Amino acid sequence: MELKGKELAAQLLRLADTDVDRCIQCGRCSASCPMGDKMDLLPSRMVWELINGRGEEIMAAKSPWVCLSCMACQQRCPKGVSPCAIMEAARLLHIRQQGGNRLIAEELERYPEDMPQQALVAAFRKYNK
């Protein structure tokens, strides 16, 4: 089942785990983005779209795939909003809609015993949301 509208925006918000309502649209995130000139939706616009429940625009954008995840946008935000988390959430949701990128607790026993626990916990936190 493909999500649409406000449901899609709510799912993106849950995955991004950033408080977009704090955004004051100052544009510092977009100004600090090293890939801003290559994006169809700047980081501040991605936040604006999410605030307004327009998840389809975010999912249709090329910006999440251009984002370097350098977190310059998050560092420059005076309110602590993380546009890079929204970009990552959009990538993750797009991949999940194609049937991939899931980590199920019952399948953890198939991973190598010498795999660092920290890696498993980090992956479980990221891919189980």
Side-chain angles (χ1 to χ4, degrees):
M1 182 174 107
E2 195 168 319
L3 299 172
K4 299 216 184 253
K6 298 225 184 258
E7 293 171 344
L8 179 58
Q11 179 73 353
L12 284 166
L13 271 173
R14 190 177 69 76
L15 289 171
D17 194 27
T18 189
D19 189 2
V20 295
D21 292 327
R22 295 176 51 110
C23 179
I24 57 174
Q25 288 292 302
C26 65
R28 289 182 186 174
C29 56
S30 296
S32 65
C33 181
M35 295 302 287
D37 61 335
K38 307 279 190 262
M39 292 185 172
D40 52 353
L41 294 179
L42 291 170
S44 59
R45 183 59 186 234
M46 295 286 280
V47 174
W48 184 89
E49 297 288 359
L50 199 50
I51 290 170
N52 290 288
R54 298 167 48 120
E56 284 98 355
E57 283 76 6
I58 293 172
M59 295 302 289
K62 297 193 181 347
S63 296
W65 304 105
V66 175
C67 174
L68 298 174
S69 297
C70 66
M71 298 189 179
C73 55
Q74 181 179 338
Q75 293 294 321
R76 294 277 297 157
C77 182
K79 297 293 184 175
V81 178
S82 180
C84 58
I86 296 168
M87 304 281 190
E88 183 177 345
R91 290 189 300 259
L92 188 60
L93 191 56
H94 184 75
I95 291 167
R96 284 184 181 176
Q97 286 176 346
Q98 295 176 344
N101 214 3
R102 277 274 198 218
L103 190 62
I104 301 167
E106 290 77 24
E107 294 178 2
L108 287 178
E109 61 190 34
R110 70 181 172 96
Y111 293 99
E113 285 185 27
D114 60 344
M115 186 174 201
Q117 283 187 332
Q118 187 175 5
L120 284 173
V121 171
F124 191 72
R125 284 182 181 157
K126 180 176 182 178
Y127 298 119
N128 194 40
K129 284 186 186 180

